[in-house]
Amino acid sequence: MSSQPAEKHWLKNDLVLGIETSCDETSAAVIAHGCQILSNVISSQVETHKIYGGVVPEIASRQHLEQLNRVIDLALQDAGVSLQDVGGIAVTCGPGLVGALLIGVSTAKSMAYAAQIPFVGVNHLEGHIMANLLLGNDKENVNPGDLRIRPPALALLVSGGHTELISWQEDDSFARLGASCDDAAGEALDKIARLLGLGYPGGPALEVAAQLGNKASFPLPAVAMAGTLDFSFSGVKTAAINSMQKARQQNRAVEVNDVAAAFQAAVFEAITSKTAQAITIHRPEVLLVAGGVAANKVLRKSLQDVCHHLKVNLSIPASLLCTDNAAMIAAAGYRKLSRGLCSPLSLNAYPHLKLDDSENLVYHESCYLYDR
């Protein structure tokens, strides 16, 4: 069971090394004070998996194994520190590809044991939300410098595997308010991009195509889940596929850019509508946006408009920090380590870990490295 926060913490200093290997990015980062990025090295596997049209788990694991030590060395070098200077280590332990996760978890445990510093397992989804705590000079960062981000807050997580509205509560726990009943938004965008022949990764390619299209030229039904904050994208995805097939059967040309524009608009309208409902019901001071799809400029602008209309503060990380990276894992880990929580050497990989499922993670208020 997850324990309550302790007054004592085990961080030797405010430097945390983060490690992320949940899918197809091998990343390591060093952050200070839980928010300042000293380094954030990301080795992408996009070119490797492109020929398969998606991530191949066995290949992803092999590349993590080949790249992780080099990436960690680069992160420490870029930050101008050594492992002995680091106060703690944070590593993604779920959800994700089990083989990929195990590479990161095993490496973090080995390094923590060798250097006699505490380490902590981090939920990848929590890491995405905590990316909003990171400070950066990137002009894309929507978070104004004077906005203090702290719970309670409302979070919108929108990625390839998850579309959820989440309450971040004062005890640093999370409660899911709504979620997709089928495809995640990013998954649906990727599938339509693949059918349109736009290549891999599909989401960014669809965004480019949509800029050149006319959404009104390819009408799609509205995405609605009345009386709930849940999402559903399978219906509009099926409608788009059926419309394309019907047009081809009738020897009518299918304008790829119009389909991209219409489908993207339908998905984002559903996201912004449900988010507006959640804001109206829960009246948060700030909306935190997280996940890879949050890098989409159209969605970012739509959410800015919604929050401006409803007079709610908005925070969206810079595009690079929306996608998988180790700085966000280090930020989440810093919060846990500074509260006296660390993980035992028995920490495993949890491929199906949920954000509100604390029973799967065990945190100790006494650190095995100092109490044995």
Side-chain angles (χ1 to χ4, degrees):
M1 292 177 60
S2 186
S3 55
Q4 295 298 314
E7 293 182 4
K8 186 174 183 179
H9 70 80
W10 299 105
L11 278 169
K12 291 182 178 179
N13 55 55
D14 281 335
L15 296 181
V16 173
L17 170 67
I19 297 173
E20 157 62 22
T21 62
S22 66
C23 190
D24 62 337
E25 323 289 336
T26 308
S27 182
V30 178
I31 70 166
H33 317 297
C35 61
Q36 182 183 358
I37 301 175
L38 301 185
S39 65
N40 192 18
V41 179
I42 304 171
S43 176
S44 174
Q45 299 181 18
V46 167
E47 293 302 317
T48 298
H49 297 284
K50 182 179 290 186
I51 60 175
Y52 305 105
V55 177
V56 180
E58 293 82 359
I59 295 176
S61 298
R62 192 177 307 127
Q63 289 221 345
H64 287 310
L65 191 61
E66 293 172 355
Q67 296 294 326
L68 185 54
N69 286 340
R70 180 186 67 85
V71 167
I72 291 172
D73 287 343
L74 283 174
L76 293 171
Q77 179 181 322
D78 289 352
V81 300
S82 67
L83 182 59
Q84 287 68 36
D85 298 320
V86 172
I89 298 175
V91 60
T92 302
C93 61
L97 304 175
V98 64
L101 290 167
L102 282 169
I103 302 300
V105 170
S106 299
T107 300
K109 290 195 288 188
S110 300
M111 294 178 68
Y113 186 82
Q116 291 291 283
I117 55 178
F119 84 102
V120 67
V122 171
N123 188 308
H124 180 77
L125 309 182
E126 182 177 351
H128 273 302
I129 295 172
M130 293 304 114
N132 285 277
L133 302 178
L134 296 168
L135 304 177
N137 297 321
D138 195 318
K139 294 181 180 179
E140 289 183 306
N141 195 326
V142 174
N143 175 15
D146 60 349
L147 176 59
R148 184 179 179 187
I149 297 175
R150 58 186 176 184
L154 176 67
L156 168 67
L157 175 62
V158 54
S159 67
H162 302 271
T163 303
E164 302 180 13
L165 284 163
I166 298 157
S167 172
W168 179 23
Q169 301 172 346
E170 291 189 42
D171 62 352
D172 251 8
S173 65
F174 299 88
R176 188 167 58 181
L177 306 176
S180 177
C181 300
D182 37 64
D183 292 354
E187 181 183 5
L189 293 168
D190 285 344
K191 286 180 178 177
I192 294 299
R194 188 178 304 117
L195 287 171
L196 292 173
L198 294 175
Y200 173 85
L206 192 82
E207 179 182 4
V208 173
Q211 294 173 355
L212 305 174
N214 177 8
K215 62 182 180 182
S217 297
F218 192 84
L220 289 172
V223 181
M225 292 279 287
T228 175
L229 292 177
D230 290 333
F231 305 86
S232 175
F233 299 109
S234 65
V236 69
K237 181 189 69 178
T238 300
I241 294 171
N242 289 342
S243 295
M244 284 189 285
Q245 289 177 340
K246 183 177 180 180
R248 286 163 180 159
Q249 288 169 355
Q250 296 174 349
N251 293 320
R252 291 187 287 113
V254 175
E255 177 51 56
V256 170
N257 294 336
D258 290 345
V259 178
F263 190 75
Q264 178 178 268
V267 170
F268 289 171
E269 170 57 30
I271 292 172
T272 53
S273 175
K274 291 295 182 182
T275 302
Q277 289 182 40
I279 291 172
T280 302
I281 293 169
H282 296 279
R283 304 307 307 172
E285 291 186 7
V286 60
L287 172 68
L288 310 178
V289 185
V293 181
N296 185 291
K297 293 183 176 60
V298 175
L299 180 59
R300 294 167 81 92
K301 179 62 169 60
S302 297
L303 291 170
Q304 283 181 287
D305 292 343
V306 166
C307 289
H308 177 75
H309 176 71
L310 295 176
K311 297 180 173 57
V312 172
N313 289 315
L314 173 66
S315 175
I316 311 179
S319 295
L320 181 67
L321 298 178
C322 289
T323 55
D324 292 353
N325 68 91
M328 68 185 195
I329 302 303
Y334 174 85
R335 291 185 66 86
K336 296 184 184 302
L337 290 166
S338 63
R339 292 167 59 225
L341 304 180
C342 66
S343 295
L345 284 174
S346 59
L347 180 73
N348 205 343
Y350 306 93
H352 304 295
L353 187 67
K354 296 179 181 179
L355 186 57
D356 54 357
D357 187 3
S358 61
E359 294 299 318
N360 279 340
L361 289 184
V362 177
Y363 294 119
H364 286 189
E365 289 183 359
S366 60
C367 181
Y368 67 90
L369 294 169
Y370 304 125
D371 285 0
R372 58 186 178 176

